[in-house]
Amino acid sequence: MSEAQSDSQQISKRTTPTWEMELLISGATVFSLLQLPRPLYRLLSNVSEMHGEAVYQAIKIFSIYIQFSLWILIITFVLHLFMRGYWIALVGMNSVFPKGMQWEKLSGYGPIYKKNLEENSPVMSEVIEVADNRATVVFGLGFGTALTMILLSLLMGLLIGILLTMQMFGVNTKSDDIIIILLAVFIAPYFLVYTIDKYFGNKLGNGKIGAWLERIIGFYNDIGFGRSGVLINLYRTNQSRRKGYLMLGLMATMGAASTLLLSMNGLDGGAYNALPSSSRDNGLEAPVEYYASLRQQADDQSLQPYIESPVSDGPYLRLFVPYVPRRHNEVLQKQCPQALTKKSADAGAGLICLSKFLKISIDGKLISVGLMSSSDPQTGQRGMMAMIPVQALSVGKHELSLISLRQKSNDGKQEKTHVVRIPFWK
């Protein structure tokens, strides 16, 4: 057996035994996973807007954890495919050229440069082994990080279940302070025990306090809270602390950046120098989310008031205004609290109050129009529908305006109102 054949056998024995399964998993799932982040983000955003403030905030946190896990897996699979591709290229090239580097045939360089290249060039078998191990480590760390976030998502899911139950039975869940309280009930004991064990564990280990600490730690381990990082801990305990934290920090940063970019709406990039800045309040913009026909083409599911089309060719203009509980309930509680009772709402008192609040206008002229309860066919969000008569309008451009609610004001006590301007043509 020649030396080249011996090296080839040695490389084969050192190859990570899971490389085929790694490639299969990465290749089969990466493209399908790439389709999930945006529709999943929209789904969770729409669901969150159907509830009060506490449930809304909890679902938002849950969404961040899920999106983070998803992006970590996507990044992991893409990097792994790239690294496995590099490893396959090395193995293939080493098979084609079993003699390795033939430095005497290298031309175009001076003797000193060639000597430096030869002295610092690693052995091919070592290069292949390092590439092989690196691909597996990235694969394992990506899964480990994603599993950690998924376990946190399950904790938030339990919290959401509690909040929804409270909301169902009419318990006040308007304040997001309740989230902090519930999270403290779940997580505070773990961090308290962790701190006591870290600084006083050697002294308390054999006593009653130590036994209680062990039971509490065992409980959290049993539900997966403490054992969520098996893959990560395996890596950390076999690498230097600095290198371990650097790799984990890099993966976390990439996942967080991807999640943040997905949640950012309408980046006004490009050199559109002659166009006004994107704004819903300047009267110079016709956003696609204000028209049902354009929303469907753009697959837009944002919660905005909208009409059917930029052009109205019938006697009525259909307007849909989504009802956002975490915003509208608080305002209506101040303006017409009697309308929020079940009996009054079923009799239409809430719709009458909302009609007064919305102040629907055409070309600046306030119109009196009744509201009916309806829903958005795309998102399922319930809201108010108004059929506005427009047969008397002249041909040309017109503007429908109404009052809407945005984020809380700076003092956090009142909702900001703003005018939604929807241009349309008759």
Side-chain angles (χ1 to χ4, degrees):
M1 181 180 292
S2 66
E3 184 178 350
Q5 290 175 323
S6 177
D7 287 344
S8 178
Q9 290 292 333
Q10 190 176 18
I11 293 170
S12 176
K13 290 178 180 178
R14 291 181 179 179
T15 301
T16 304
T18 58
W19 70 271
E20 290 178 314
M21 289 302 298
E22 292 173 17
L23 274 175
L24 180 63
I25 293 173
S26 294
T29 57
V30 65
F31 297 108
S32 58
L33 284 178
L34 283 170
Q35 310 302 316
L36 286 179
R38 189 163 295 278
L40 181 60
Y41 172 77
R42 288 174 178 170
L43 173 64
L44 292 174
S45 294
N46 292 334
V47 171
S48 68
E49 294 288 4
M50 299 177 183
H51 302 282
E53 183 68 24
V55 178
Y56 168 82
Q57 294 293 345
I59 294 178
K60 281 296 184 183
I61 297 173
F62 175 80
S63 175
I64 291 173
Y65 289 162
I66 289 293
Q67 292 289 334
F68 189 93
S69 303
L70 192 56
W71 276 111
I72 282 292
L73 286 177
I74 291 172
I75 293 170
T76 296
F77 292 150
V78 171
L79 284 177
H80 177 260
L81 283 175
F82 175 80
M83 291 180 174
R84 275 296 167 197
Y86 174 65
W87 172 77
I88 291 171
L90 288 173
V91 173
M93 290 291 285
N94 186 63
S95 175
V96 174
F97 305 106
K99 294 182 179 180
M101 304 289 187
Q102 303 296 303
W103 297 108
E104 66 277 3
K105 297 180 180 180
L106 186 64
S107 61
Y109 298 98
I112 298 177
Y113 197 98
K114 288 176 61 176
K115 179 182 178 183
N116 184 269
L117 282 177
E118 185 174 358
E119 290 177 350
N120 292 281
S121 179
V123 179
M124 197 63 182
S125 60
E126 294 179 357
V127 175
I128 293 174
E129 184 178 358
V130 168
D132 176 29
N133 293 340
R134 187 188 296 119
T136 298
V137 166
V138 168
F139 190 84
L141 281 180
F143 259 104
T145 306
L147 284 173
T148 300
M149 298 307 298
I150 288 174
L151 285 169
L152 290 175
S153 301
L154 293 177
L155 177 62
M156 287 306 304
L158 177 61
L159 174 60
I160 291 170
I162 295 174
L163 292 172
L164 285 173
T165 303
M166 295 172 65
Q167 182 176 270
M168 185 184 302
F169 286 97
V171 180
N172 183 8
T173 60
K174 291 189 296 183
S175 174
D176 53 359
D177 291 341
I178 192 170
I179 297 178
I180 299 175
I181 296 172
L182 290 175
L183 283 176
V185 171
F186 281 114
I187 299 176
Y190 174 80
F191 284 105
L192 177 62
V193 170
Y194 173 85
T195 303
I196 294 174
D197 179 46
K198 182 177 181 180
Y199 293 101
F200 307 104
N202 292 330
K203 297 179 180 179
L204 302 174
N206 297 323
K208 292 184 178 180
I209 297 179
W212 275 104
L213 294 177
E214 187 174 353
R215 291 191 185 96
I216 296 173
I217 292 173
F219 167 76
Y220 279 98
N221 284 338
D222 289 340
I223 63 175
F225 197 86
R227 294 178 181 173
S228 60
V230 174
L231 293 169
I232 295 175
N233 288 334
L234 181 62
Y235 174 77
R236 288 174 57 191
T237 55
N238 285 275
Q239 294 289 342
S240 65
R241 176 179 295 184
R242 182 176 180 180
K243 186 176 181 180
Y245 283 124
L246 180 63
M247 178 67 76
L248 292 173
L250 179 62
M251 299 195 70
T253 300
M254 290 189 294
S258 301
T259 305
L260 179 62
L261 287 174
L262 179 68
S263 63
M264 296 176 70
N265 296 319
L267 294 178
D268 189 15
Y272 307 117
N273 296 347
L275 297 181
S277 300
S278 291
S279 172
R280 303 297 188 263
D281 303 325
N282 58 14
L284 299 174
E285 188 170 0
V288 295
E289 61 263 30
Y290 288 169
Y291 310 99
S293 58
L294 300 183
R295 283 161 58 95
Q296 292 174 0
Q297 296 177 34
D299 193 24
D300 190 302
Q301 298 184 14
S302 56
L303 289 179
Q304 295 286 350
Y306 65 83
I307 58 178
E308 291 300 311
S309 171
V311 178
S312 175
D313 54 4
Y316 290 94
L317 185 70
R318 179 181 179 272
L319 169 68
F320 177 78
V321 183
Y323 188 99
V324 184
R326 66 189 182 88
R327 294 176 180 172
H328 286 99
N329 287 349
E330 186 173 349
V331 171
L332 296 182
Q333 184 66 44
K334 297 176 181 177
Q335 295 190 1
C336 44
Q338 70 284 353
L340 294 180
T341 63
K342 182 66 175 176
K343 184 177 180 180
S344 297
D346 288 342
L351 291 172
I352 295 174
C353 182
L354 285 164
S355 178
K356 296 177 181 178
F357 168 77
L358 291 176
K359 297 180 180 178
I360 300 172
S361 303
I362 297 286
D363 297 330
K365 182 180 179 180
L366 189 66
I367 60 174
S368 177
V369 60
L371 298 178
M372 296 192 70
S373 176
S374 186
S375 61
D376 182 356
Q378 278 190 286
T379 65
Q381 184 82 11
R382 296 189 65 189
M384 298 74 71
M385 182 187 73
M387 299 300 292
I388 304 170
V390 294
Q391 64 267 33
L393 295 179
S394 60
V395 175
K397 179 186 176 183
H398 300 277
E399 183 181 84
L400 168 67
S401 62
L402 65 150
I403 299 297
S404 185
L405 293 170
R406 287 193 290 197
Q407 70 280 3
K408 287 184 178 295
S409 58
N410 294 331
D411 58 11
K413 295 180 180 180
Q414 288 185 328
E415 295 280 357
K416 285 184 178 179
T417 60
H418 76 294
V419 178
V420 172
R421 306 178 189 275
I422 306 178
F424 69 97
W425 286 258
K426 173 74 174 159

